[in-house]
Amino acid sequence: QVQLQESGPGLVKASETLSLTCTVSGGSISTYSWSWIRQPPGKGLEWIGYIFDSGSTDCDPSLKSRVTISIDTSKKQFSLKLTSVTAADTAVYYCARRAVRPERFDYWGQGALVTVSS
Amino acid sequence: AIQMTQSPSSLSASVGDRVTITCRASQGIRNDLGWYQQKPGKAPKLLIYAASILQSGVPSRFSGSGSGTDFTLTISSLQPEDFATYYCLQDYNYPLTFGGGTKVEIK
């Protein structure tokens, strides 16, 4: 059974860097792409970006200047760094596996709430 | 970016009702659309992908249809466990974009 688990600080100060890691268990990290998706409290879902095991990555243009997504295939982990955070970055952050052909997010982590404090 | 417009944003329905949620894309996306269900405090769950393919383990009362710009999620007979928020997601190109969500509440 594939499982994804987010980990990282739940509280980040404004202007600092948010860092989260997603650990994948029960399945291969190859073949799929791996995404970060967030949800501000009481609001909808927002896709942040993806990475493949090859290291190929892309993200939403609105976040591109602040986002880095990386992968460590030996540890079956991928990570998100979001710099210069503000209160608007307070959200539940999900990691998710995207199967291909056809594409779909078939496995999700439980989510990690990150609060940006002033 | 492709804009996904979901309607309605909320609805009230009774157990046993037939429920229809629509999603419209700002440009054609073939059939590259998925539907997700989210319950409070939980991660979204995949229901339908490629517009009409039922994810394994999802009850057959859920169905999806559409292609191009207009898509529909139908729940044929609403069950108590179906009260949740539903999101569409376009998988056609990057950046991936979700609809605003439809909250299905108990009447």
Side-chain angles (χ1 to χ4, degrees), chain B residues 25-83:
Chain B
S26 60
Q27 66 182 72
I29 59 170
R30 300 181 308 196
N31 68 337
D32 296 332
L33 183 111
W35 290 98
Y36 296 80
Q37 176 194 66
Q38 187 180 34
K39 296 183 179 180
K42 300 293 187 182
K45 172 188 172 185
L46 176 65
L47 298 176
I48 302 278
Y49 61 97
S52 62
I53 300 175
L54 193 67
Q55 170 71 350
S56 176
V58 174
S60 59
R61 63 181 179 272
F62 291 93
S63 64
S65 64
S67 67
T69 60
D70 294 310
F71 301 86
T72 299
L73 173 70
T74 300
I75 310 171
S76 60
S77 178
L78 197 67
Q79 298 302 300
E81 60 268 31
D82 301 337
F83 292 96

Coordinates of all heavy atoms in Angstrom, one line a residue, chain B residues 25-83:
Chain B
A25 N -14.1 24.6 -18.3 CA -12.7 25.1 -18.5 C -12.7 26.3 -19.5 O -13.6 26.4 -20.4 CB -11.9 23.9 -19.2
S26 N -11.8 27.2 -19.2 CA -11.7 28.4 -20.0 C -11.2 28.1 -21.5 O -11.3 29.0 -22.3 CB -10.8 29.4 -19.4 OG -9.5 28.9 -19.2
Q27 N -10.7 26.9 -21.7 CA -10.3 26.5 -23.0 C -10.5 25.0 -23.1 O -10.6 24.3 -22.1 CB -8.9 26.9 -23.4 CG -7.8 26.2 -22.6 CD -6.4 26.7 -22.9 OE1 -6.0 27.8 -22.6 NE2 -5.6 25.9 -23.6
G28 N -10.4 24.4 -24.3 CA -10.6 23.0 -24.4 C -9.5 22.2 -23.7 O -8.3 22.5 -23.9
I29 N -9.9 21.2 -23.0 CA -8.9 20.3 -22.3 C -9.1 18.8 -22.6 O -8.7 18.0 -21.9 CB -9.0 20.5 -20.8 CG1 -10.4 20.2 -20.2 CG2 -8.6 22.0 -20.4 CD1 -10.4 20.2 -18.7
R30 N -9.6 18.6 -23.8 CA -9.9 17.2 -24.2 C -10.8 16.5 -23.1 O -11.8 17.0 -22.8 CB -8.6 16.4 -24.5 CG -7.8 17.1 -25.6 CD -6.5 16.3 -25.9 NE -5.7 16.0 -24.7 CZ -4.4 15.7 -24.7 NH1 -3.8 15.5 -25.9 NH2 -3.8 15.4 -23.6
N31 N -10.3 15.4 -22.6 CA -11.0 14.8 -21.5 C -10.0 14.7 -20.3 O -10.1 13.8 -19.4 CB -11.4 13.4 -21.9 CG -10.3 12.4 -22.1 OD1 -9.2 12.8 -22.4 ND2 -10.6 11.1 -22.0
D32 N -9.1 15.6 -20.2 CA -8.1 15.6 -19.2 C -8.6 16.3 -17.9 O -8.1 17.4 -17.5 CB -6.8 16.3 -19.7 CG -6.2 15.5 -20.8 OD1 -6.3 14.3 -20.9 OD2 -5.5 16.2 -21.7
L33 N -9.5 15.6 -17.2 CA -10.2 16.2 -16.1 C -10.4 15.1 -15.0 O -10.8 14.0 -15.3 CB -11.5 16.8 -16.4 CG -12.2 17.5 -15.2 CD1 -12.2 19.0 -15.4 CD2 -13.5 17.0 -15.0
G34 N -10.1 15.5 -13.8 CA -10.4 14.6 -12.7 C -11.3 15.3 -11.6 O -11.5 16.5 -11.6
W35 N -12.0 14.4 -10.9 CA -12.9 14.8 -9.8 C -12.4 14.3 -8.5 O -12.0 13.1 -8.4 CB -14.3 14.4 -10.0 CG -15.0 15.0 -11.2 CD1 -15.2 14.6 -12.4 CD2 -15.7 16.3 -11.1 NE1 -15.9 15.5 -13.2 CE2 -16.2 16.6 -12.4 CE3 -15.9 17.3 -10.1 CZ2 -16.9 17.7 -12.7 CZ3 -16.6 18.4 -10.4 CH2 -17.1 18.6 -11.7
Y36 N -12.3 15.1 -7.5 CA -11.8 14.7 -6.1 C -12.9 15.1 -5.1 O -13.5 16.1 -5.2 CB -10.5 15.4 -5.9 CG -9.4 15.0 -6.8 CD1 -9.3 15.6 -8.1 CD2 -8.5 14.1 -6.4 CE1 -8.4 15.2 -9.0 CE2 -7.5 13.6 -7.3 CZ -7.5 14.2 -8.6 OH -6.5 13.8 -9.5
Q37 N -13.0 14.2 -4.1 CA -13.8 14.4 -2.9 C -13.0 14.8 -1.7 O -12.0 14.1 -1.5 CB -14.7 13.2 -2.7 CG -15.6 13.2 -1.5 CD -16.0 11.8 -1.1 OE1 -15.3 10.9 -0.7 NE2 -17.3 11.6 -1.2
Q38 N -13.4 15.8 -1.0 CA -12.7 16.1 0.2 C -13.6 16.2 1.4 O -14.6 17.0 1.4 CB -11.8 17.4 0.1 CG -10.9 17.6 1.3 CD -10.1 18.9 1.1 OE1 -10.5 19.9 0.5 NE2 -8.9 18.9 1.6
K39 N -13.3 15.5 2.5 CA -14.1 15.7 3.7 C -13.3 16.5 4.7 O -12.0 16.6 4.6 CB -14.4 14.3 4.3 CG -15.3 13.5 3.4 CD -15.7 12.1 3.9 CE -16.6 11.4 2.9 NZ -17.0 10.1 3.4
P40 N -13.9 17.1 5.7 CA -13.2 18.1 6.6 C -12.1 17.4 7.3 O -12.2 16.3 7.8 CB -14.3 18.4 7.6 CG -15.6 18.3 6.8 CD -15.4 17.1 5.9
G41 N -10.9 18.1 7.2 CA -9.7 17.6 7.9 C -9.0 16.5 7.2 O -8.0 15.9 7.7
K42 N -9.5 16.1 6.0 CA -8.9 15.0 5.3 C -8.3 15.4 3.9 O -8.7 16.5 3.4 CB -9.9 13.9 5.0 CG -10.5 13.3 6.3 CD -9.5 12.5 7.1 CE -10.2 11.8 8.2 NZ -9.2 11.1 9.1
A43 N -7.4 14.6 3.4 CA -6.9 14.9 2.1 C -7.9 14.6 1.0 O -8.8 13.8 1.2 CB -5.6 14.0 1.8
P44 N -7.8 15.2 -0.1 CA -8.7 14.9 -1.2 C -8.5 13.4 -1.6 O -7.5 12.9 -1.5 CB -8.3 15.9 -2.3 CG -7.7 17.0 -1.6 CD -7.0 16.4 -0.4
K45 N -9.6 12.9 -2.2 CA -9.7 11.5 -2.6 C -10.1 11.5 -4.1 O -11.1 12.1 -4.5 CB -10.6 10.7 -1.8 CG -10.9 9.3 -2.3 CD -12.1 8.7 -1.5 CE -12.5 7.3 -2.1 NZ -13.7 6.8 -1.4
L46 N -9.3 10.8 -4.9 CA -9.7 10.7 -6.3 C -10.9 9.9 -6.6 O -11.1 8.7 -6.1 CB -8.5 10.0 -7.1 CG -8.7 9.7 -8.6 CD1 -8.8 11.0 -9.4 CD2 -7.5 8.9 -9.1
L47 N -11.9 10.4 -7.3 CA -13.1 9.7 -7.7 C -13.1 9.3 -9.1 O -13.4 8.1 -9.4 CB -14.3 10.6 -7.4 CG -14.6 11.1 -6.0 CD1 -15.8 12.1 -6.1 CD2 -14.9 10.0 -5.1
I48 N -12.8 10.2 -10.0 CA -13.0 10.1 -11.4 C -11.7 10.7 -12.1 O -11.3 11.7 -11.7 CB -14.2 10.8 -12.0 CG1 -15.5 10.3 -11.3 CG2 -14.3 10.7 -13.5 CD1 -16.1 9.1 -11.9
Y49 N -11.2 10.0 -13.1 CA -10.1 10.6 -13.9 C -10.4 10.4 -15.4 O -11.2 9.6 -15.8 CB -8.7 10.1 -13.5 CG -8.5 8.6 -13.7 CD1 -7.9 8.1 -14.8 CD2 -9.0 7.7 -12.7 CE1 -7.7 6.7 -15.0 CE2 -8.8 6.3 -12.9 CZ -8.2 5.8 -14.0 OH -8.0 4.5 -14.1
A50 N -9.7 11.2 -16.2 CA -9.9 11.2 -17.6 C -11.4 11.4 -17.9 O -12.0 10.8 -18.8 CB -9.4 9.9 -18.3
A51 N -12.0 12.2 -17.1 CA -13.4 12.7 -17.3 C -14.4 11.7 -16.9 O -15.5 12.1 -16.4 CB -13.7 13.3 -18.7
S52 N -14.2 10.4 -17.1 CA -15.2 9.4 -17.0 C -14.8 8.1 -16.4 O -15.6 7.2 -16.3 CB -16.0 9.2 -18.3 OG -15.0 8.6 -19.2
I53 N -13.5 7.9 -16.1 CA -13.0 6.6 -15.6 C -13.1 6.6 -14.0 O -12.6 7.5 -13.4 CB -11.6 6.4 -16.0 CG1 -11.5 6.3 -17.5 CG2 -11.1 5.0 -15.4 CD1 -10.1 6.2 -18.1
L54 N -13.9 5.6 -13.5 CA -14.1 5.5 -12.1 C -12.8 4.9 -11.5 O -12.3 3.9 -11.9 CB -15.3 4.6 -11.8 CG -15.9 4.6 -10.4 CD1 -16.5 6.0 -10.1 CD2 -16.9 3.5 -10.3
Q55 N -12.3 5.6 -10.5 CA -11.2 5.1 -9.7 C -11.5 3.8 -9.0 O -12.7 3.7 -8.5 CB -10.6 6.2 -8.7 CG -9.6 5.7 -7.7 CD -8.2 5.4 -8.4 OE1 -8.1 5.4 -9.6 NE2 -7.2 5.2 -7.5
S56 N -10.6 2.9 -9.0 CA -10.8 1.6 -8.3 C -11.3 1.8 -6.9 O -10.7 2.7 -6.1 CB -9.5 0.8 -8.3 OG -9.7 -0.4 -7.5
G57 N -12.4 1.1 -6.5 CA -12.9 1.2 -5.1 C -13.9 2.3 -4.9 O -14.5 2.3 -3.8
V58 N -14.1 3.2 -5.9 CA -15.1 4.2 -5.7 C -16.5 3.7 -6.1 O -16.6 3.0 -7.2 CB -14.8 5.4 -6.6 CG1 -15.9 6.5 -6.6 CG2 -13.4 6.0 -6.1
P59 N -17.5 3.9 -5.3 CA -18.9 3.4 -5.7 C -19.4 3.8 -7.0 O -19.1 4.9 -7.5 CB -19.7 3.9 -4.5 CG -18.8 4.2 -3.4 CD -17.5 4.7 -4.1
S60 N -20.1 2.9 -7.6 CA -20.6 3.1 -9.0 C -21.7 4.2 -9.1 O -22.1 4.6 -10.2 CB -21.1 1.8 -9.6 OG -22.2 1.3 -8.8
R61 N -22.2 4.7 -7.9 CA -23.1 5.8 -8.0 C -22.5 7.1 -8.4 O -23.2 8.1 -8.8 CB -23.8 6.0 -6.6 CG -22.9 6.4 -5.5 CD -23.7 6.6 -4.2 NE -22.8 6.9 -3.1 CZ -22.2 6.1 -2.3 NH1 -22.3 4.8 -2.6 NH2 -21.4 6.5 -1.3
F62 N -21.2 7.1 -8.4 CA -20.4 8.3 -9.0 C -20.1 8.1 -10.5 O -19.7 7.0 -10.9 CB -19.1 8.5 -8.2 CG -19.2 8.9 -6.8 CD1 -19.3 8.0 -5.8 CD2 -19.3 10.3 -6.5 CE1 -19.4 8.4 -4.5 CE2 -19.5 10.7 -5.2 CZ -19.5 9.8 -4.2
S63 N -20.4 9.1 -11.2 CA -20.0 9.0 -12.7 C -19.6 10.4 -13.2 O -20.0 11.4 -12.6 CB -21.2 8.5 -13.5 OG -22.3 9.3 -13.4
G64 N -18.8 10.4 -14.2 CA -18.4 11.6 -14.8 C -18.6 11.6 -16.3 O -18.5 10.5 -16.9
S65 N -18.8 12.8 -16.9 CA -18.9 12.9 -18.3 C -18.4 14.2 -18.8 O -18.1 15.1 -18.0 CB -20.4 12.7 -18.7 OG -21.2 13.8 -18.2
G66 N -18.3 14.3 -20.1 CA -17.9 15.6 -20.7 C -16.6 15.5 -21.4 O -15.8 14.5 -21.3
S67 N -16.3 16.5 -22.3 CA -15.0 16.6 -23.0 C -15.0 18.0 -23.5 O -16.0 18.7 -23.6 CB -14.9 15.6 -24.1 OG -15.8 15.8 -25.1
G68 N -13.8 18.5 -23.8 CA -13.6 19.8 -24.3 C -13.6 20.8 -23.2 O -12.6 21.0 -22.5
T69 N -14.7 21.5 -23.0 CA -14.8 22.6 -22.0 C -15.8 22.3 -20.9 O -15.7 22.9 -19.8 CB -15.1 23.9 -22.6 OG1 -16.3 23.9 -23.3 CG2 -14.0 24.4 -23.6
D70 N -16.7 21.4 -21.1 CA -17.8 21.2 -20.1 C -17.9 19.8 -19.6 O -17.9 18.8 -20.4 CB -19.2 21.5 -20.8 CG -19.3 23.0 -21.1 OD1 -19.0 23.8 -20.3 OD2 -19.6 23.3 -22.3
F71 N -17.9 19.7 -18.3 CA -17.8 18.4 -17.6 C -18.8 18.3 -16.5 O -19.2 19.4 -15.9 CB -16.4 18.2 -17.0 CG -15.3 18.3 -18.1 CD1 -14.8 19.5 -18.5 CD2 -14.9 17.1 -18.7 CE1 -13.8 19.6 -19.5 CE2 -13.9 17.2 -19.7 CZ -13.4 18.4 -20.1
T72 N -19.2 17.1 -16.1 CA -20.2 16.9 -15.1 C -19.8 15.7 -14.2 O -19.3 14.7 -14.7 CB -21.6 16.6 -15.8 OG1 -22.0 17.7 -16.6 CG2 -22.6 16.3 -14.7
L73 N -20.0 15.9 -12.9 CA -19.9 14.8 -12.0 C -21.3 14.6 -11.5 O -22.0 15.5 -11.1 CB -19.0 15.2 -10.8 CG -19.0 14.2 -9.6 CD1 -18.3 12.9 -10.0 CD2 -18.4 14.8 -8.4
T74 N -21.8 13.3 -11.5 CA -23.1 13.0 -11.1 C -23.0 11.9 -10.0 O -22.3 11.0 -10.1 CB -23.9 12.4 -12.2 OG1 -24.1 13.4 -13.2 CG2 -25.3 12.0 -11.8
I75 N -23.8 12.2 -8.9 CA -24.0 11.2 -7.9 C -25.4 10.7 -8.0 O -26.4 11.5 -7.8 CB -23.7 11.7 -6.5 CG1 -22.4 12.5 -6.4 CG2 -23.8 10.6 -5.4 CD1 -22.2 13.2 -5.1
S76 N -25.6 9.4 -8.4 CA -27.0 9.0 -8.8 C -27.9 8.9 -7.6 O -29.1 9.2 -7.8 CB -26.9 7.6 -9.5 OG -26.3 6.7 -8.6
S77 N -27.4 8.6 -6.4 CA -28.3 8.4 -5.3 C -27.4 8.8 -4.1 O -26.7 8.0 -3.6 CB -28.9 7.0 -5.1 OG -29.6 6.9 -3.9
L78 N -27.6 10.0 -3.6 CA -26.7 10.6 -2.5 C -26.8 9.7 -1.3 O -27.9 9.4 -0.8 CB -27.1 12.0 -2.3 CG -26.1 12.9 -1.6 CD1 -24.8 13.1 -2.4 CD2 -26.7 14.2 -1.2
Q79 N -25.6 9.4 -0.7 CA -25.5 8.6 0.5 C -25.0 9.5 1.6 O -24.3 10.5 1.3 CB -24.7 7.4 0.3 CG -25.2 6.4 -0.7 CD -26.6 5.9 -0.3 OE1 -26.8 5.3 0.7 NE2 -27.6 6.2 -1.2
P80 N -25.2 9.2 2.9 CA -24.7 10.0 4.0 C -23.2 10.3 3.9 O -22.8 11.4 4.3 CB -25.1 9.2 5.2 CG -26.3 8.4 4.8 CD -26.0 8.0 3.4
E81 N -22.5 9.3 3.5 CA -21.0 9.5 3.4 C -20.6 10.4 2.3 O -19.4 10.7 2.1 CB -20.3 8.2 3.3 CG -20.7 7.3 2.1 CD -21.8 6.3 2.4 OE1 -22.7 6.7 3.2 OE2 -21.8 5.2 1.8
D82 N -21.5 10.8 1.4 CA -21.1 11.6 0.2 C -21.2 13.1 0.6 O -20.8 13.9 -0.3 CB -22.1 11.4 -0.9 CG -22.1 9.9 -1.4 OD1 -21.1 9.2 -1.1 OD2 -23.1 9.5 -2.0
F83 N -21.6 13.5 1.7 CA -21.6 14.9 2.1 C -20.2 15.4 2.3 O -19.5 14.9 3.2 CB -22.5 15.2 3.3 CG -23.9 14.9 3.0 CD1 -24.5 13.7 3.3 CD2 -24.7 15.9 2.4 CE1 -25.9 13.5 2.9 CE2 -26.0 15.7 2.0 CZ -26.6 14.5 2.3

